[in-house]
Amino acid sequence: MGMELQDNEGIAMEVQDDGEERDFSDAEAFSSVVEALTGVAMAYNMVDQSDRNQYNNLVSIVDPTPGKGPEEEALLVTALKALTGAISKMDVAFHTSLLSNIFSLCIWNYGYETRKAILELIISLAAVPDKFLNSCLHMLVSNFMAPKRIRQYNTHPRLAEKRNIYGELYVALHHIVDLVPLAPMMLKEIIDKKMPRTTDPKEVLVMFVECMLGLESDEIGEFLGSTLLIKVVELLVDLDVNINWEDIPQDELNKGIFDMELDVEENAHDGAGIGIKPETGKILKGNVFADKLDSLMVLVCEHLDSCASDGHLVKVFDTLAECFRRTVMNAYKSKFVQFVMFYACSLDPEICGLKFAVMLTDIFVSNTEDPTSRMSSVSYLASYLSRAKFVPSSLVASILKRLVEWCFQYCQFRNGCESVVYPKAHRVFYSGCQAVMYILCFRMRQLMDIPQLRSLLFHLPLEPILCSSLEPLKVCLPTIVHEFLRQAKAASLFKTSTCFPYDNLLESEFSKAFGGIERLDMFFPFDPYLLKESDRFMRPNFEFWSMVKTTYSNCNSEDEDEDLDALDDNAEHDNLESNSESDDEIEFSLSRMSITPKPAFHYPMAGNLHNGARMPARIRPSMSPED
Amino acid sequence: MEGLRVVDANLTVYIHPSKARNSRHAILRQLSSLLFTYSEVFDGVILAFEVDIKSTCCKILPRLIPNFGAELKANLLLFSPMLNMLVEGKVVKLGKESIHAIVLGFSSASIMSEDIRKELKFNIKHGEEVFSSTSHKRHVIKVGSIVRFSVKRHQKRHREGNSEKDLLQDSDLKGNHYFERLNHPQKSRKRTE
């Protein structure tokens, strides 16, 4: 096979399949391309018709439409190589159609050789200062995603080459950055513009994010700083906020259960893949977002894994922490994105885990932060320390000490000033107290088992805080207060015989008041994780309430041990819950404290367990408010 | 090398009230956002700055959001090449058609074949692309060489900025990348490495 340059027909380079083959040299191709380019580089009406034909021929060779045969592709490669050498002859004014064809090329449509030629041309074009750089970067970023035609077929051979194609794109970007040092500045903006939206199809989101994360771990990530990761996290937050909890139960019927909008009934429609009914649109939409978020969470967790194995997790964590502080922490009750932090911490508990806890504590005790951030941070802190298995008891104890000391100082400062409990004015204090109690509900037994920490716990000024005139026990969530007092009593935490006569006075109106309209009083960010695919990253490090050893569980330790052993899978977990029904007290505490998702088969409607794209149908609330 | 100059500037930096807690940090951040971007006010690219904050008092400037106007004196190092100035750059890519160089580590320049002196011929020696002089045997330009050339044309790019918008009292500058195109027909010559 060879290619022939026919001078009488301009640039027409034809592949001859007959025996008369003639390889024509690069120089010949180059000179004919230069001729074609220079022939039209003048005012339109001055261009000779033969020159115009020659140029049009070249434009038609560099045609971006997919489905080229091998001959056409070979011709394209030759033309691209020749163009790479003739960059200086290209002019935006005279060669618009050619340039527009070049920048519309999609590398996913071609084989390795053609891709290489396209990217070489793009690199050369980008190196011409200020002319084509923007278009080149646009073209490369557009190629982060495969075209729809390829995306639709999961088995398309080009998708198998995905990693290679990403690699080629990174190399091209790398070359461009070497030639034009300020290119990353422009690249940042282009990625920002091209970033898919939450409404885009799942494949688009997944491919784009996968490519971005790859770029982040590449050397260019250094130049782009933390932008890429921040963009990804922002996308996750966007998806997260699109999954609604139903409004927190004002509704009597919903008491104890937050229906995720993916209710069982509506899921049945989704699972069957039937057309979307208008009335179920909202529900299906929620489900779709959860599905997208799930896939992206898997990508991000895998990226964190690779960062950990490469040894630059700490650096990535700093970016994540900054991003968490800026967006996630103040996003209204985000549900899943925070687990990125949880997972990052679990990969390096000594450094990242510690940093995260200290950062949250610092925000809480800082006077300059706004109250909502402080309340939110202490909610995160409480939930994190309670739920993260990898956090050592010593760290829990030291953070507890800081929290309690802050609360104690606050009490001393305010004591006696107020005669009437006014939750909203002291909301930061109450959220601190609630956090302390929540952590102790989960960790008291562990702390009690270590003599040093036990003595530390006994020396904490808990009693003066709880008995202060601010009366946190009246204001904090009744379920937490109840459980805390129960465990404290079993552990004889309070030396004096002070009784806390609040059992009958529990009044959640107060708690609602301090939580404000955002109900931060009942926000526990690290409640059990409900996304199916990415759950495998979180589960091993996650402490379920049903697995927590409480201080009062000594009396029936045998049962407890059996139950704990049985917790490994969901079915047995279910047994535990049904067994425990006999014991009123345990049932009470479980129903209130455990936010463990019920297995889907608990509900008759959710019979199809193998429906991979579905989230658990129902979750229990963090806390059920009592009206 | 020409094109570098130091200027003294009296600036008023607008600080958003939310940044009032650490105003020094806010000022430095605002000025840093100007680095390596073309500024019309100074007619050049700011490469470095040194700030002397005149007083601790700030005027409150009436606006939709009343910002603080912090007055300061700044010493700025500017890069503003003009036509026919001689600048130096490090060669990063060579081809038959062009030489690509980077000036001061941030600005990219290209010298096209028609602007390269005729005595410099392109050839490939030991697999390496070089421009070698016909008159002087050891005069070779290859990747990594420093070349001195004169500016034939330079381009400044302007586009809407975001955060920098409120920075300077008397400017609406949002200048950004500064890409120069530097060519010289005769004076392109290599310095000893």
Side-chain angles (χ1 to χ4, degrees):
Chain A
M1 191 172 75
M3 285 170 238
E4 190 184 38
L5 190 67
Q6 296 181 341
D7 279 333
N8 54 346
E9 281 182 33
I11 189 80
M13 290 177 276
E14 283 184 1
V15 179
Q16 294 187 338
D17 287 323
D18 55 31
E20 248 183 89
E21 291 181 357
R22 182 172 80 87
D23 286 336
F24 72 97
S25 66
D26 285 349
E28 280 175 298
F30 172 70
S31 61
S32 63
V33 164
V34 170
E35 202 180 308
L37 291 175
T38 47
V40 291
M42 57 188 82
Y44 187 83
N45 47 11
M46 290 170 72
V47 178
D48 192 61
Q49 190 55 40
S50 64
D51 288 340
R52 180 143 302 282
N53 289 344
Q54 197 174 357
Y55 173 72
N56 287 341
N57 229 324
L58 178 63
V59 174
S60 66
I61 291 171
V62 191
D63 180 23
T65 48
K68 280 188 165 53
E71 290 88 2
E72 286 170 306
E73 213 169 308
L75 202 56
L76 175 67
V77 174
T78 317
L80 290 173
K81 281 184 178 165
L83 281 168
T84 310
I87 295 291
S88 58
K89 302 285 182 284
M90 280 195 184
D91 198 306
V92 189
F94 304 116
H95 307 121
T96 323
S97 52
L98 179 66
L99 285 167
S100 123
N101 271 6
I102 291 173
F103 293 129
S104 314
L105 287 170
C106 177
I107 58 168
W108 294 81
N109 292 329
Y110 306 104
Y112 173 70
E113 283 299 325
T114 320
R115 291 202 301 264
K116 202 175 144 199
I118 294 173
L119 292 175
E120 266 172 23
L121 175 61
I122 293 293
I123 294 166
S124 307
L125 280 171
V128 181
D130 211 30
K131 261 191 176 173
F132 310 114
L133 181 66
N134 200 15
S135 313
C136 290
L137 292 177
H138 261 286
M139 185 263 185
L140 292 177
V141 175
S142 308
N143 276 296
F144 279 12
M145 297 168 281
K148 199 176 174 189
R149 195 173 59 85
I150 294 176
R151 278 198 317 260
Q152 279 171 342
Y153 302 102
N154 284 334
T155 52
H156 196 285
R158 208 69 78 198
L159 286 179
E161 289 181 69
K162 194 163 69 172
R163 297 267 167 204
N164 295 343
I165 294 179
Y166 286 159
E168 288 159 20
L169 284 173
Y170 301 153
V171 170
L173 285 170
H174 207 90
H175 277 300
I176 292 176
V177 171
D178 283 346
L179 295 173
V180 188
L182 291 184
M185 272 166 113
M186 211 181 261
L187 185 61
K188 245 185 223 182
E189 282 170 27
I190 292 170
I191 290 182
D192 199 19
K193 272 185 202 157
K194 292 261 176 186
M195 193 76 192
R197 306 282 170 254
T198 48
T199 43
D200 285 330
K202 185 179 149 189
E203 308 84 54
V204 172
L205 287 169
V206 169
M207 287 194 96
F208 202 90
V209 168
E210 196 177 353
C211 196
M212 275 175 83
L213 291 176
L215 196 62
E216 213 266 338
S217 36
D218 197 80
E219 272 179 66
I220 305 170
E222 299 268 317
F223 298 114
L224 290 172
S226 45
T227 329
L228 294 174
L229 207 56
I230 290 176
K231 291 256 168 283
V232 172
V233 175
E234 280 171 359
L235 180 67
L236 294 180
V237 174
D238 278 355
L239 284 167
D240 194 323
V241 295
N242 273 303
I243 309 167
N244 295 323
W245 301 104
E246 273 190 6
D247 282 339
I248 298 190
Q250 307 294 331
D251 189 359
E252 284 280 324
L253 295 172
N254 272 342
K255 194 175 169 187
I257 292 174
F258 298 163
D259 284 333
M260 204 75 187
E261 49 195 74
L262 351 147
D263 208 345
V264 191
E265 233 174 311
E266 285 82 5
N267 262 336
H269 292 294
D270 190 32
I274 307 168
I276 301 172
K277 289 182 181 179
E279 61 271 22
T280 62
K282 190 183 156 209
I283 282 99
L284 288 171
K285 205 174 161 195
N287 203 352
V288 169
F289 285 127
D291 194 20
K292 287 175 187 171
L293 183 62
D294 196 9
S295 310
L296 295 188
M297 286 295 281
V298 172
L299 283 182
V300 174
C301 289
E302 280 170 355
H303 175 70
L304 289 176
D305 267 342
S306 73
C307 289
S309 54
D310 296 348
H312 59 272
L313 180 71
V314 176
K315 205 176 145 214
V316 172
F317 180 82
D318 288 341
T319 310
L320 278 178
E322 179 59 33
C323 191
F324 170 82
R325 203 181 161 143
R326 273 201 343 220
T327 51
V328 184
M329 197 176 81
N330 291 319
Y332 172 62
K333 287 199 176 182
S334 72
K335 294 163 277 299
F336 307 113
V337 185
Q338 59 269 32
F339 278 89
V340 172
M341 293 300 289
F342 185 88
Y343 188 62
C345 290
S346 74
L347 289 173
D348 188 354
E350 280 102 37
I351 301 173
C352 301
L354 177 73
K355 265 189 186 175
F356 187 51
V358 171
M359 180 186 89
L360 291 171
T361 322
D362 286 345
I363 296 173
F364 174 67
V365 298
S366 149
N367 288 325
T368 46
E369 295 284 341
D370 77 302
T372 318
S373 299
R374 293 171 73 184
M375 288 170 73
S376 181
S377 78
V378 85
S379 300
Y380 273 101
L381 183 67
S383 196
Y384 170 67
L385 293 182
S386 311
R387 298 295 193 170
K389 268 186 192 170
F390 50 84
V391 174
S393 300
S394 55
L395 176 63
V396 176
S398 67
I399 299 279
L400 260 181
K401 192 166 169 251
R402 261 186 95 181
L403 291 181
V404 172
E405 274 166 5
W406 182 88
C407 291
F408 184 60
Q409 279 176 2
Y410 191 93
C411 275
Q412 283 189 320
F413 184 59
R414 298 279 169 183
N415 220 354
C417 297
E418 323 259 334
S419 51
V420 184
V421 177
Y422 185 42
K424 204 163 182 187
H426 306 293
R427 53 196 168 142
V428 178
F429 167 74
Y430 289 122
S431 61
C433 292
Q434 182 167 301
V436 169
M437 285 189 271
Y438 188 75
I439 297 168
L440 282 174
C441 287
F442 276 82
R443 297 282 193 164
M444 198 185 292
R445 170 76 182 265
Q446 276 181 26
L447 298 179
M448 286 292 175
D449 287 349
I450 303 168
Q452 278 174 330
L453 302 180
R454 186 187 160 92
S455 69
L456 187 142
L457 196 59
F458 275 103
H459 283 96
L460 288 179
L462 279 170
E463 233 171 310
I465 297 172
L466 300 179
C467 300
S468 72
S469 62
L470 293 168
E471 298 186 277
L473 291 180
K474 269 190 188 174
V475 179
C476 294
L477 269 181
T479 36
I480 296 181
V481 173
H482 183 92
E483 178 66 26
F484 167 74
L485 289 180
R486 209 171 148 219
Q487 291 208 33
K489 200 176 162 191
S492 324
L493 190 62
F494 302 122
K495 285 177 217 156
T496 54
S497 55
T498 326
C499 62
F500 295 96
Y502 298 113
D503 280 0
N504 300 324
L505 296 172
L506 292 178
E507 180 56 83
S508 70
E509 282 308 313
F510 280 135
S511 120
K512 272 187 188 174
F514 100 77
I517 199 161
E518 294 173 341
R519 298 306 318 269
L520 281 174
D521 56 315
M522 40 188 294
F523 178 44
F524 296 96
F526 295 111
D527 276 356
Y529 189 74
L530 297 166
L531 298 178
K532 215 166 186 179
E533 276 182 62
S534 39
D535 185 48
R536 65 192 151 100
F537 294 99
M538 315 304 167
R539 188 168 283 269
N541 297 307
F542 194 83
E543 184 87 32
F544 289 95
W545 170 248
S546 43
M547 296 155 87
V548 172
K549 277 191 178 180
T550 54
T551 49
Y552 52 77
S553 63
N554 288 333
C555 49
N556 55 350
S557 57
E558 283 173 21
D559 294 349
E560 191 72 17
D561 287 344
E562 275 172 30
D563 288 336
L564 285 172
D565 291 340
L567 280 171
D568 286 333
D569 76 20
N570 273 340
E572 287 175 8
H573 179 195
D574 190 38
N575 283 338
L576 167 78
E577 289 201 352
S578 57
N579 287 340
S580 64
E581 274 169 21
S582 56
D583 184 339
D584 281 344
E585 286 187 347
I586 291 180
E587 201 279 333
F588 174 78
S589 69
L590 278 178
S591 67
R592 298 304 166 84
M593 295 299 291
S594 168
I595 315 103
T596 315
K598 282 197 174 183
F601 51 80
H602 206 73
Y603 295 91
M605 301 296 279
N608 185 5
L609 265 178
H610 303 291
N611 185 352
R614 201 192 297 162
M615 287 175 46
R618 285 177 176 232
I619 56 162
R620 299 223 216 140
S622 313
M623 288 301 139
S624 61
E626 290 194 349
D627 291 44
Chain B
M1 172 159 150
E2 294 173 282
L4 286 170
R5 63 197 166 98
V6 177
V7 296
D8 290 326
N10 293 318
L11 301 173
T12 304
V13 175
Y14 287 9
I15 305 170
H16 192 272
S18 67
K19 304 277 188 290
R21 191 160 27 119
N22 192 348
S23 55
R24 187 173 172 80
H25 179 77
I27 291 169
L28 294 181
R29 203 177 160 80
Q30 282 284 37
L31 287 175
S32 300
S33 69
L34 282 184
L35 286 177
F36 300 111
T37 57
Y38 178 77
S39 152
E40 250 178 15
V41 179
F42 305 114
D43 191 24
V45 183
I46 300 175
L47 298 181
F49 62 82
E50 194 181 35
V51 185
D52 174 25
I53 299 168
K54 279 202 253 174
S55 81
T56 48
C57 296
C58 285
K59 266 191 235 162
I60 295 177
L61 303 158
R63 282 184 146 204
L64 195 59
I65 300 164
N67 287 343
F68 301 104
E71 292 193 354
L72 50 96
K73 255 187 187 306
N75 228 347
L76 307 171
L77 175 63
L78 296 177
F79 176 53
S80 45
M82 302 296 167
L83 290 187
N84 299 322
M85 270 186 181
L86 283 178
V87 291
E88 288 162 16
K90 188 176 182 181
V91 176
V92 285
K93 192 184 174 191
L94 271 182
K96 198 178 176 188
E97 292 291 299
S98 57
I99 298 174
H100 298 277
I102 290 179
V103 182
L104 291 171
F106 78 97
S107 177
S108 97
S110 60
I111 306 164
M112 291 301 171
S113 57
E114 61 264 28
D115 297 323
I116 298 170
R117 268 202 311 239
K118 295 292 171 273
E119 63 161 287
L120 292 166
K121 296 286 175 210
F122 178 79
N123 46 35
I124 297 174
K125 278 185 183 168
H126 312 296
E128 196 181 19
E129 295 169 315
V130 292
F131 272 94
S132 48
S133 168
T134 46
S135 56
H136 195 297
K137 215 177 174 185
R138 296 182 64 189
H139 186 177
V140 183
I141 298 174
K142 54 187 176 184
V143 171
S145 307
I146 305 284
V147 289
R148 182 182 292 166
F149 46 88
S150 82
V151 180
K152 188 176 172 188
R153 187 158 65 237
H154 60 87
Q155 290 170 0
K156 312 152 196 171
R157 176 168 297 210
H158 297 275
R159 64 180 157 66
E160 281 297 310
N162 300 320
S163 55
E164 299 93 323
K165 216 169 184 174
D166 294 335
L167 181 63
L168 295 170
Q169 192 183 19
D170 53 348
S171 84
D172 56 343
L173 78 108
K174 297 116 212 167
N176 242 302
H177 306 283
Y178 184 92
F179 294 108
E180 42 171 354
R181 173 131 181 227
L182 309 154
N183 306 325
H184 194 314
Q186 271 89 41
K187 291 185 184 166
S188 179
R189 63 184 161 83
K190 181 191 166 257
R191 275 166 106 214
T192 23
E193 284 173 82

